Amino acid sequence: MSETIILNGKDLTLEQVIEVSRGGVKIELSSEAVEAVNASRKIIDDIVESKRTVYGVNTGFGSLVKVSIPQEETRQLQENLIRTHSSGFGDPLKEDEVRAIMLIRVNSLLKGYSGIRLSTIETLMGMLNNGVVPHIPEKGSLGASGDLAPLSHMVLPMLGLGRAYFNGELMTGKEAMEKAGVPVIHLEAKEGLALINGTTVLTAIGALATYDSIELLKLADIAGALSLEVHNGIVNAFDEELHIIRPHSGQLATAKNIRHLIAGSTLTTPATAERVQDAYSLRCMPQIHGASKDAIAYVKEKVEIEINSVTDNPIITRSGDVISGGNFHGEPMAQPFDYLGIGAAEIGNVSERRVERLVNTNLSGLPSFLVKHPGVNSGFMITQYAAASLASENKILAHPASVDSITSCENQEDFVSMGTTAARTARDILINSRRIVATEIMAACQAIDFVSDRGVMGKGTQIAYDTFRKYVNFIDYDKDIEIYDELEKATEVITSGVLLKAVEEAVDLEIEFDFSK
């Protein structure tokens, strides 16, 4: 992990977003970016001085564009903007999401097309580096004229307003800034608009969900490989020769991952005259998991474009022109995040089907519901119910948000993206699917304990099993237990990265196939 990340507005990566938002890595500004910001601000200062009419500088906002604002009221205009636009609702965004929002906003402003003062950017940077986390309700954005409502909540503490967390404690924005040693500020011309008119919230939420989906897809391959061994699965379905003639990158990567995970296993089998093929949820893992891998790879590419883009309005060009355009519109990310949700949902869907195969004695040949004494004990019966419930909920959540729109701002903003809803639902689908995959791994390890005397596990699956068993024990149900607690342990092993890290230290797992090799 980096000690410090130097931002220039051009080459921020998804991995760096994770380092800052979750790892606490601090940021600095490049000298090139500082020059660009100062040059852009000078253009705004000249506009104000010359009393030239420019949207958002000395006019009202949205449909109020025709209202001219006197020079002495431009500061009040910007602060009123933040006060009135901070109208969000619902649970607060998580700390890592808010930190990602602040990082991406700083990086966007550093490109030097927004006319904001360097000192204002440094205030936001100071909040990020010193642990001030604004309280941002998760609902209230149309994802069109930027994430106006949630970003306004981000700005409030900069003005000594609103609420924020410091050292995990919620307090007034003013108190949080004082405790962190970050001075509050007054906004000047154009600055309020520059801070809130952009796709930053939807991009940040979606970026974290994208990163977590990449990990989920690798975990799904691990879970599927464990299930394959339980069922003495047929390995021919994963031969590279089969997949190279349908060379989708994700499909090839999944087949390769499964081969690496089960390398050396005697719990799998080649096809025989008596047994030619397995059920789809086992045999078609390369095609099913691979399709989701391709979706996530596409979304990651779009995320890394967006986190290095200028998404506010109006834009201050290098030549001094002021252009009112539509870079704030979230549609370019709304559709990808809908796609992300679909990709994550399919992983939960197929994983739940493998859970059913594990707990169903008619499909597995193992004791009903993976318990030594079924009848008195229900074993894993209701874990499959719960997984099925989550899979079905995902089907509802996966309805695309981007196909919806609603008119706002006196019909000036007549087509909106709903991109923030797309990002939030993709995140929620990811969380549900991760729980399903954790359930599959738990059930598969339980089943492995019934078949372990039949042979040797694979190189990767053995490590996965051994790591998992450090945290979650075999459940024999001689005495009833509260299985929820064990499921929570299983989920923590997945979300903490412990299991994936252990497996990846021994086995290469890929999301995209490297055609050059």
Side-chain angles (χ1 to χ4, degrees):
M1 185 177 291
S2 310
E3 290 186 8
T4 303
I5 292 173
I6 299 175
L7 300 180
N8 57 21
K10 299 177 181 178
D11 51 21
L12 182 65
T13 67
L14 178 58
E15 289 72 23
Q16 288 175 326
V17 172
I18 298 301
E19 287 185 331
V20 174
S21 63
R22 294 177 175 169
V25 171
K26 297 190 176 184
I27 61 171
E28 295 180 3
L29 312 182
S30 72
S31 57
E32 175 189 7
V34 168
E35 291 178 7
V37 169
N38 286 334
S40 179
R41 182 60 202 181
K42 185 178 185 306
I43 294 170
I44 292 296
D45 288 339
D46 290 345
I47 289 171
V48 172
E49 184 66 26
S50 65
K51 298 183 180 181
R52 173 182 157 199
T53 301
V54 171
Y55 172 71
V57 176
N58 45 28
T59 72
F61 304 110
S63 62
L64 300 177
V65 62
K66 295 181 180 180
V67 180
S68 297
I69 308 299
Q71 183 173 347
E72 63 272 15
E73 294 183 2
T74 54
R75 172 186 285 187
Q76 193 63 50
L77 171 72
Q78 299 300 317
E79 297 201 0
N80 285 350
L81 174 74
I82 303 305
R83 290 174 186 270
T84 60
H85 284 46
S86 53
S87 55
F89 170 75
D91 294 333
L93 293 172
K94 293 181 175 62
E95 179 177 339
D96 59 349
E97 292 171 326
V98 176
R99 288 180 57 81
I101 290 166
M102 297 163 75
L103 169 67
I104 295 168
R105 197 76 208 126
V106 168
N107 195 59
S108 175
L109 294 170
L110 288 180
K111 294 182 77 75
Y113 289 90
S114 301
I116 195 169
R117 291 176 299 164
L118 177 63
S119 59
T120 302
I121 297 176
E122 288 174 335
T123 297
L124 190 55
M125 181 180 74
M127 293 165 64
L128 183 58
N129 283 344
N130 291 283
V132 177
V133 179
H135 178 280
I136 303 179
E138 67 176 0
K139 298 181 181 181
S141 176
L142 296 174
S145 189
D147 287 305
L148 295 171
L151 282 175
S152 294
H153 285 275
M154 178 197 75
V155 177
L156 284 173
M158 299 174 69
L159 312 180
L161 304 171
R163 294 185 292 170
Y165 297 90
F166 183 72
N167 290 336
E169 181 184 351
L170 182 62
M171 58 190 72
T172 68
K174 182 179 180 182
E175 288 175 310
M177 296 290 275
E178 288 175 350
K179 288 179 181 293
V182 182
V184 298
I185 62 170
H186 290 286
L187 298 176
E188 298 292 347
K190 175 67 168 66
E191 292 195 303
L193 202 57
L195 286 164
I196 70 170
N197 200 345
T199 63
T200 314
V201 173
L202 67 92
T203 302
I205 296 170
L208 298 189
T210 301
Y211 182 87
D212 290 341
S213 293
I214 292 169
E215 293 199 339
L216 175 67
L217 283 160
K218 295 177 181 179
L219 289 162
D221 288 350
I222 294 170
L226 286 165
S227 290
L228 189 73
E229 289 188 322
V230 171
H231 295 289
N232 191 222
I234 298 169
V235 298
N236 303 64
F238 306 98
D239 286 350
E240 185 173 45
E241 187 174 1
L242 171 67
H243 299 285
I244 204 71
I245 58 175
R246 194 193 191 193
H248 293 287
S249 177
Q251 178 175 331
L252 283 160
T254 304
K256 184 177 180 180
N257 288 351
I258 300 295
R259 291 196 302 271
H260 285 180
L261 287 162
I262 64 173
S265 174
T266 61
L267 292 175
T268 55
T269 183
T272 64
E274 294 76 27
R275 186 159 165 246
V276 178
Q277 60 188 24
D278 287 321
Y280 286 3
S281 60
L282 297 171
R283 179 177 19 138
C284 299
M285 280 190 283
Q287 292 80 5
I288 300 168
H289 292 195
S292 291
K293 286 184 175 70
D294 288 342
I296 271 67
Y298 165 74
V299 177
K300 182 176 186 286
E301 179 183 351
K302 299 292 282 185
V303 164
E304 292 197 324
I305 292 172
E306 193 73 356
I307 62 178
N308 291 290
S309 295
V310 178
T311 61
D312 61 299
N313 179 61
I315 299 302
I316 315 302
T317 69
R318 293 284 191 261
S319 61
D321 291 334
V322 181
I323 301 175
S324 282
N327 278 6
F328 52 72
H329 206 286
E331 193 72 19
M333 299 308 300
Q335 292 187 31
F337 289 146
D338 279 335
Y339 193 18
L340 175 65
I342 291 169
E346 284 295 83
I347 291 301
N349 283 342
V350 72
S351 179
E352 183 279 327
R353 289 292 79 201
R354 291 194 296 264
V355 172
E356 166 63 13
R357 301 194 73 81
L358 289 166
V359 304
N360 187 331
T361 187
N362 298 311
L363 299 175
S364 69
L366 299 174
S368 290
F369 308 117
L370 300 176
V371 63
K372 284 184 177 179
H373 308 293
V376 174
N377 299 301
S378 297
F380 279 63
M381 179 192 291
I382 307 303
T383 62
Q384 184 270 325
Y385 283 40
S389 172
L390 294 174
S392 289
E393 180 179 290
N394 280 350
K395 295 168 189 176
I396 296 170
L397 293 174
H399 175 82
S402 61
V403 300
D404 187 27
S405 181
I406 195 165
T407 298
S408 59
C409 203
E410 296 183 333
N411 215 37
Q412 173 78 359
E413 298 164 10
D414 58 351
F415 189 88
V416 299
S417 77
M418 294 299 182
T420 315
T421 302
R424 288 194 296 107
T425 53
R427 174 200 64 192
D428 294 346
I429 291 169
L430 173 278
I431 292 170
N432 285 347
S433 291
R434 188 164 55 194
R435 176 66 167 217
I436 298 170
V437 169
T439 303
E440 181 186 356
I441 291 174
M442 181 173 164
C445 287
Q446 179 85 355
I448 287 288
D449 285 317
F450 285 105
V451 304
S452 58
D453 59 347
R454 300 179 188 173
V456 176
M457 298 181 72
K459 179 181 179 181
T461 51
Q462 183 69 63
I463 293 171
Y465 173 87
D466 292 343
T467 304
F468 189 80
R469 280 285 175 253
K470 291 178 183 178
Y471 301 91
V472 185
N473 296 322
F474 173 75
I475 305 170
D476 60 18
Y477 285 94
D478 285 339
K479 182 180 180 181
D480 284 339
I481 66 163
E482 297 177 34
I483 200 167
Y484 170 81
D485 293 334
E486 300 306 309
L487 283 164
E488 285 295 290
K489 292 177 188 176
T491 304
E492 177 59 25
V493 175
I494 301 307
T495 56
S496 68
V498 170
L499 188 142
L500 182 58
K501 180 181 179 183
V503 174
E504 287 201 299
E505 285 177 352
V507 177
D508 289 332
L509 297 178
E510 301 174 356
I511 295 296
E512 298 180 85
F513 187 78
D514 188 349
F515 288 94
S516 67
K517 293 182 180 179

